[in-house]
Amino acid sequence: MHTLSLTEQGTTLHAEGDLLVVRRGEAVLHRVRAAELDQVLVFGRIELSSGALALLLRRGIDLALLTSRGTFRGRLVGRQSKNVALRLAQYQRVSDPAFCLRVARRVVAAKIRHQRDVLLRAQRHLQDEPLAVALGQLRLLGQRIDAASDLDLLRGLEGQAAAVYFAHFDKLLRTDRFRFTGRNRRPPRDPVNACLSFGYAVLGTVIETEIHRCGLDPQLGFFHQPAYGRPSLMLDVLEEFRPLVDLLVLRLINRRQLGPADFEQRTGQSLAEVLADEPPSGEPGEPLDGLPSPPRPPPPPPNAETSQPVVGVYLNQTGRKVFLAEFFRRLRERLEYPPRNAALELRDIVREQIYHLARVIEGQSPDYVPFIPT
């Protein structure tokens, strides 16, 4: 089963029998059998016909709607899972501090170990002394996980590990076309952060799809406690898979599959304008390759009583296509999955982990065991 990603702005999705057809005007850009899909991702200004929506619902295909930058907007949801007992058990577990802490410890320990593995892989070639110190710091932070007596202490350890990890992330880039000086977001202010944020957002959408199919509530997490409007359980599951996105970003940049021309700058008077689907003028953003773009009126000068204009860097349409093609190719790669004693596609591993968590919630399995690639 595959995911259909629609990124080309102004296109439409129609149904012809059991086929989904992507069109621009009268021109047919792509046809795909609905039976071959389990998810459709729609980025930005793309129209869907009523026939396409009916076919997606009939086939049980997940439809997620995102902005062109990957920010989640909503999804088309059919009938909810019939597993009411699982959701009742989840509600009870979320109210159990000991259970939340037990699951959260496993998640954070796996994330730190995976981050350390990413740096260790680079250290074999770099032989960098500060990086060796960082590896030791991550190992010590990982050893302190079991001693964390509450979620706040655990969040502190996770935050310290992330600071150490990203302080050395720039050393993993093998090109002088991009630099990384630290993690930033909302909006991302450089191409590397743009890729990281976009990758986490898309992976989060995939994870939330699997959570819905399993019958769990994506709003009720254990490490990320429930909060208004936050998909806390999705964020819990995402933590152990974030470093896989990091490795994908490094691969795309180091192999020069992405270059400066695949990114654009967006400037607005407020964060809301920057995060909108289009800049205020409706014109494309400024490319980062130095090539001229169509002229557009300059933004008005910032009011002295307000903050300065916010500049965000994002993948442009070409960059998103490249990223998504590699992202879903990565999800189809097979990795060894010890619980099954078999090699599974990464997307199947994500699904298996969510169902494993469901069995832990119901008491059918004793403890949650995160996935760590070998």
Side-chain angles (χ1 to χ4, degrees):
M1 302 297 280
H2 299 286
T3 297
L4 174 64
S5 300
L6 303 178
T7 62
E8 189 168 342
Q9 304 301 283
T11 54
T12 58
L13 183 66
H14 300 267
E16 293 180 1
D18 201 40
L19 294 176
L20 287 168
V21 182
V22 183
R23 289 194 179 120
R24 176 178 287 282
E26 296 300 318
V28 174
L29 305 182
H30 188 59
R31 282 191 176 94
V32 60
R33 290 178 57 82
E36 298 175 355
L37 297 175
D38 60 2
Q39 186 177 44
V40 175
L41 300 182
V42 175
F43 293 86
R45 296 179 293 106
I46 295 166
E47 294 184 8
L48 292 88
S49 73
S50 59
L53 294 174
L55 177 57
L56 294 172
L57 286 170
R58 188 168 69 250
R59 284 286 186 174
I61 299 171
D62 178 66
L63 170 67
L65 305 172
L66 305 96
T67 68
S68 60
R69 300 172 183 82
T71 303
F72 179 77
R73 280 176 160 171
R75 66 180 354 106
L76 178 69
V77 178
R79 291 185 179 274
Q80 198 169 13
S81 166
K82 299 177 182 179
N83 196 345
V84 177
L86 173 59
R87 289 193 291 279
L88 287 173
Q90 183 185 6
Y91 300 150
Q92 293 172 349
R93 294 293 198 179
V94 167
S95 302
D96 181 352
F99 181 87
C100 292
L101 183 60
R102 191 162 69 248
V103 172
R105 280 174 177 160
R106 295 297 186 100
V107 169
V108 174
K111 180 182 180 182
I112 294 176
R113 178 177 166 183
H114 199 169
Q115 288 175 328
R116 188 174 184 274
D117 288 345
V118 172
L119 296 184
L120 184 60
R121 180 183 303 185
Q123 176 68 344
R124 295 190 183 103
H125 304 285
L126 295 174
Q127 296 298 307
D128 179 77
E129 185 174 346
L131 187 52
V133 173
L135 289 167
Q137 291 174 322
L138 289 175
R139 185 181 67 252
L140 292 175
L141 287 168
Q143 292 172 351
R144 293 169 58 188
I145 294 297
D146 287 340
S149 57
D150 58 48
L151 290 177
D152 285 336
L153 290 173
L154 199 57
R155 293 187 191 101
L157 294 173
E158 187 269 340
Q160 292 178 54
V164 171
Y165 173 71
F166 282 117
H168 297 271
F169 197 75
D170 187 64
K171 296 175 183 177
L172 280 59
L173 300 173
R174 299 194 301 270
T175 174
D176 57 3
R177 299 189 298 172
F178 297 118
R179 291 268 61 89
F180 181 85
T181 58
R183 185 78 178 102
N184 56 68
R185 54 197 184 277
R186 299 176 186 171
R189 294 183 287 279
D190 60 76
V192 178
N193 275 292
C195 288
L196 291 172
S197 292
F198 187 74
Y200 297 152
V202 177
L203 180 57
T205 301
V206 171
I207 289 171
E208 192 166 346
T209 294
E210 300 300 339
I211 289 173
H212 276 290
R213 287 178 175 161
C214 176
L216 291 167
D217 187 334
Q219 304 291 316
L220 299 178
F222 305 105
F223 176 50
H224 297 84
Q225 287 285 283
Y228 185 84
R230 182 169 70 187
S232 299
L233 185 62
M234 179 274 283
L235 294 173
D236 283 359
V237 178
L238 179 62
E239 291 299 339
E240 69 186 85
F241 291 100
R242 280 182 190 268
L244 294 174
V245 172
D246 303 346
L247 288 171
L248 174 64
V249 171
L250 291 171
R251 179 194 299 183
L252 287 166
I253 291 175
N254 290 338
R255 293 182 180 180
R256 303 198 171 213
Q257 292 173 269
L258 289 174
D262 295 311
F263 298 86
E264 62 187 19
Q265 291 179 325
R266 295 283 176 90
T267 306
Q269 286 303 109
S270 68
L271 184 60
E273 287 180 347
V274 171
L275 295 180
D277 253 357
E278 296 297 332
S281 68
E283 297 290 346
E286 298 294 340
L288 299 186
D289 58 357
L291 297 178
S293 61
R296 58 187 172 108
N303 190 308
E305 297 179 358
T306 62
S307 60
Q308 293 294 313
V310 180
V311 178
V313 175
Y314 303 93
L315 286 156
N316 61 22
Q317 184 166 300
T318 303
R320 289 193 296 270
K321 285 184 177 180
V322 172
F323 190 100
L324 289 170
E326 289 300 317
F327 176 88
F328 287 108
R329 185 175 294 117
R330 174 62 169 154
L331 285 188
R332 292 192 296 272
E333 289 181 8
R334 290 184 173 271
L335 298 174
E336 191 64 29
Y337 187 62
R340 294 272 183 170
N341 194 26
L344 301 182
E345 290 187 1
L346 181 54
R347 177 150 192 171
D348 291 334
I349 291 174
V350 172
R351 182 181 300 119
E352 288 285 337
Q353 286 299 106
I354 292 168
Y355 277 87
H356 166 50
L357 178 58
R359 290 191 294 273
V360 173
I361 290 171
E362 291 185 306
Q364 298 175 14
S365 296
D367 283 305
Y368 181 68
V369 180
F371 171 70
I372 301 175
T374 55

